[in-house]
């Protein structure tokens, strides 16, 4: 069972078999088509990130790390004399694709650091950046695995029916995902789990991506519109909620995909536990509370639709915040790579961040 | 001001200027195109109802009433000998278009009754059915007007910002709508009102219809996805909610478009009053509570999408309840044609239903 579930979890970014290029799942074509692109240049990787063919902060970081390594490989193959200069150009190029993504800058920093720490000589440089890019991917994979293991503690042995919002799954990471990790871990152990996925307007990551990756791995999944979560809970259809997060403040306030807050309020109303899966890197001790987390407002076209798919009259306004903030008091517990955190969160989060990361 | 607002409220069903045909707004083309169809036969009216070119229980009833009158006109013009038999055929034809619509059967019953009560002779029959159909429309128009007047009591004189869900507006009725009636009434009196419209997945009546009719009448309206209502309330963006309803039980439980319940829970969480606009015909004293109101489950294709617009993988399940039930304790008050109802609702509703309807 374990093997079959885990082997069916998709990997959004990896090396091609011969190690000379990047194999990247084009997520813009999902769920209609599962097409893997072979990316051989920095420009191709940059285009894939820019065009959202890969999305989810950890997966973007991994793609960028692999992309920077590919850049060094190509420059070495071409016999370029000034490798450091070329590498810095590639780094800037990749960094410009999604300027606000924290993982992107961090992953590029790691690979660039390995480049400079490596012994001189082109082959040593290639080996160093490739190893560091692999380490970025491997560490993320391990974080996901740990969240999956710890998350098992909150999943009932029988009758688990879990609501999730957006996509915090394998497609967004280098492993089993964050919110979906405990679901995969439970399924792999033969613990029966049913999942309901909010479709997650406006970009429909739940309908398109979460449902696709779960069903591909053999997990029973049902899609609902975001507006159905209340009726589902009232009907007794779910007994816990697990979501991911984009940033957690020092007090436990959670910024996540728009709609998460509404789900949390409904969960509390129905006495259903509401869990947030978060690797320690997503806790931001500089933000004292959710009020200090800036909320990105995105283009209204995502709601209006385009061309023939336009649904809102042109003269009508739209409001399109990408995230909302769920106050800490609505969060039952955090599922982290360092274990389950329970209130008081200021203490639990500070303790988590002081402890050593499991990967050293 | 009054005149200009009221004159810009769309009328989904009316007679053509010469009175020989029905003028029907094709709502399937909204908001892209405002096209009025000229319907001259019972078959054309039946097709329009069946294809959802007209929707909303009161508007369907009016279309059917006008349709049955058109049928009698056409048979008289053709000199048919057995008018009662022809009229019964037309009635069955129209009744078959939306078998579950209560207003449809009721409106046809009224016109058929007028037919049989009329003096013999084709011209008297035509006059009787036309008058009765007009009465059905006129009464609905008056109910809407009264809900608008009474609803003014709950709208603040300054800074009103109202959230609504789905379309309970002019497009669904023969007048100013139910939930939107107080908004039009306030605007007509120069009371400034801002509206937020939930897009209302899966069929997007809020994005497509509510936004269209409000902006056409000069009311400021902003569309949000259903998942944004919580963030909007938390940001202080709205100070009251008004929705329509499909059926109200004797205890005040409210069946309405899926998602209404979630909005009501969020409104309570934020201390925002939640009002339900309902003509007295929508109160159902036979249903003791919401548990006795059957909830229609609709085709999953509405969520999955179709063809190129398909968004959910074919192997994934969907759940698509069309309505949910909001418990009475979350309803601040009902806005009815007979005034504002406040708790205890069992008493208030019984009193409303015992009193004479305003139209006699």
């Amino acid at each position: 069972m374990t093997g079959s579930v885990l082997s069916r979890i998709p990997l959004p970014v990896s090396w091609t078999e011969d190690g000379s290029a990047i194999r990247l799942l084009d997520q813009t074509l999902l769920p209609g088509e599962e097409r893997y692109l072979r990316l051989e240049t920095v420009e191709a990787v940059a285009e894939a990130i820019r065009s959202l063919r890969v999305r989810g902060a950890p997966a973007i970081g991994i793609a960028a790390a692999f992309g920077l390594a590919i850049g060094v490989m190509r420059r070495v193959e071409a016999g370029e004399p000034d490798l450091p200069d070329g590498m810095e150009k590639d780094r800037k190029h990749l960094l410009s694709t999604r300027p606000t993504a924290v993982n992107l800058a961090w992953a590029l920093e790691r690979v660039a650091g390995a480049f400079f720490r490596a012994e001189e000589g082109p082959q040593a440089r290639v080996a160093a950046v490739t190893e560091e890019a692999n380490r970025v991917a491997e560490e993320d994979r391990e974080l996901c695995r740990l969240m999956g293991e710890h998350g098992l503690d909150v999943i009932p042995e029988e009758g688990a029916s879990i609501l999730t919002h957006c996509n915090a799954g394998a497609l967004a990471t280098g492993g089993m995902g964050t919110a979906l990790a405990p679901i995969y871990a439970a399924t792999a152990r033969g613990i029966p789990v049913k999942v309901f996925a909010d479709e997650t307007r406006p970009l429909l990551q739940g309908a398109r991506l979460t449902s696709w990756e779960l069903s591909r791995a053999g997990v029973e999944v049902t899609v609902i519109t975001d507006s159905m979560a209340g009726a589902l809970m009232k009907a007794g259809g779910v007994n816990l909620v697990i979501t991911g997060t984009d940033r957690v403040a020092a007090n436990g306030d959670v910024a996540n995909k728009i709609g998460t807050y509404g789900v949390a309020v409904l969960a509390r109303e129905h006495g259903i536990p509401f869990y947030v899966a978060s690797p320690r890197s997503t806790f931001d001790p500089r933000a004292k509370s959710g009020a200090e987390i800036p909320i990105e407002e995105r283009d209204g076209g995502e709601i209006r639709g385009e061309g023939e798919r336009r649904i809102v009259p042109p003269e009508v306004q739209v409001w399109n915040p990408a995230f909302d903030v769920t106050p800490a008091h609505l969060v039952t517990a955090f599922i982290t790579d360092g274990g389950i955190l329970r209130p008081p969160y200021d203490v639990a989060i500070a303790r988590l961040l002081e402890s050593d990361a499991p990967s050293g």
Side-chain angles (χ1 to χ4, degrees), chain A residues 288-352:
Chain A
K288 282 187 195 126
S289 77
E292 295 180 19
I293 301 176
I295 299 300
E296 177 189 1
E297 200 165 323
R298 291 178 58 86
D299 189 88
E302 292 179 356
I303 296 178
R304 294 179 182 284
E306 289 173 357
E308 273 194 24
R309 300 189 192 190
R310 183 172 192 117
I311 52 175
V312 176
E315 67 276 15
V316 169
Q317 303 168 58
V318 298
W319 183 52
N320 187 20
F323 306 101
D324 58 27
V325 173
T326 299
H329 72 89
L330 295 177
V331 179
T332 307
F334 288 92
I335 301 166
T336 82
D337 47 288
I340 303 290
L341 305 194
R342 298 200 180 262
Y345 290 128
D346 50 353
V347 177
I349 291 169
R351 197 178 298 147
L352 175 76

Side-chain angles (χ1 to χ4, degrees), chain A residues 2-3 5-15 23 57-63 66 103 106 110 132-150 168-182 184-185 216 279-281 336-338 358-359:
Chain A
T2 301
V5 171
L6 299 183
S7 69
R8 283 182 286 169
I9 295 175
L11 198 55
V13 185
S14 58
W15 295 108
R23 184 170 183 266
I60 288 172
I62 294 164
F66 282 28
N103 286 56
W106 168 85
R110 293 227 356 212
E132 190 64 21
N134 287 342
R135 214 168 286 135
V136 167
E138 200 44 58
E139 285 171 17
D140 191 60
R141 197 178 146 88
E142 176 65 5
L143 289 180
C144 293
R145 192 189 67 76
L146 287 166
M147 280 183 277
E149 289 299 309
H150 293 304
L171 289 171
T173 64
M176 297 197 293
T178 58
L180 301 193
Y184 287 125
R216 188 174 187 277
R280 73 186 70 199
S281 58
T336 82
D337 47 288
S359 51

Side-chain angles (χ1 to χ4, degrees), chain A residues 120-242:
Chain A
E120 297 262 338
Q123 290 317 320
R125 303 277 207 196
V126 167
V129 294
T130 309
E131 268 168 37
E132 190 64 21
N134 287 342
R135 214 168 286 135
V136 167
E138 200 44 58
E139 285 171 17
D140 191 60
R141 197 178 146 88
E142 176 65 5
L143 289 180
C144 293
R145 192 189 67 76
L146 287 166
M147 280 183 277
E149 289 299 309
H150 293 304
L152 283 173
D153 289 352
V154 308
I155 295 184
E157 288 283 325
E158 280 181 28
S161 182
I162 302 173
L163 176 66
T164 189
H165 190 73
C166 198
N167 177 260
L171 289 171
T173 64
M176 297 197 293
T178 58
L180 301 193
I183 291 166
Y184 287 125
T187 305
R189 293 193 181 199
I191 299 167
V193 173
K194 261 194 341 190
V195 177
F196 285 88
D198 281 344
E199 65 174 6
T200 318
R201 282 278 294 157
L203 295 181
L204 298 163
Q205 294 92 335
R208 292 176 49 242
L209 306 178
T210 298
S211 74
W212 181 80
E213 68 166 270
L214 287 174
S215 77
R216 188 174 187 277
V219 180
E220 185 186 337
V221 54
T222 302
V223 171
I224 60 172
T225 67
D226 304 314
S227 58
M228 290 169 191
L232 178 65
M233 290 180 187
K234 205 169 173 218
V238 291
N239 42 33
L240 68 154
V241 178
I242 310 180

Side-chain angles (χ1 to χ4, degrees), chain A residues 29-169:
Chain A
L29 302 177
L30 291 176
E33 190 185 340
E34 180 178 349
R35 188 196 294 170
Y36 291 86
L37 307 175
R38 181 183 168 90
L39 309 179
E40 304 188 342
T41 64
V42 168
E43 176 45 38
V45 176
E47 191 279 336
I49 297 173
R50 204 183 300 121
S51 307
L52 309 181
R53 300 188 201 288
V54 58
R55 29 67 58 196
I60 288 172
I62 294 164
F66 282 28
L68 192 52
I70 278 276
V72 174
M73 270 184 220
R74 291 299 97 93
R75 289 180 188 278
V76 167
E77 285 163 12
E80 285 194 16
D82 191 350
L83 268 188
D85 182 62
M87 192 278 296
E88 283 295 359
K89 277 186 187 141
D90 289 345
R91 168 151 72 149
K92 279 188 193 130
H93 189 171
L94 287 163
L95 190 61
S96 70
T97 52
R98 296 284 302 272
T100 56
V102 172
N103 286 56
L104 176 61
W106 168 85
L108 289 170
E109 186 67 39
R110 293 227 356 212
V111 175
F115 176 92
F116 289 114
R117 281 194 313 274
E119 290 172 31
E120 297 262 338
Q123 290 317 320
R125 303 277 207 196
V126 167
V129 294
T130 309
E131 268 168 37
E132 190 64 21
N134 287 342
R135 214 168 286 135
V136 167
E138 200 44 58
E139 285 171 17
D140 191 60
R141 197 178 146 88
E142 176 65 5
L143 289 180
C144 293
R145 192 189 67 76
L146 287 166
M147 280 183 277
E149 289 299 309
H150 293 304
L152 283 173
D153 289 352
V154 308
I155 295 184
E157 288 283 325
E158 280 181 28
S161 182
I162 302 173
L163 176 66
T164 189
H165 190 73
C166 198
N167 177 260

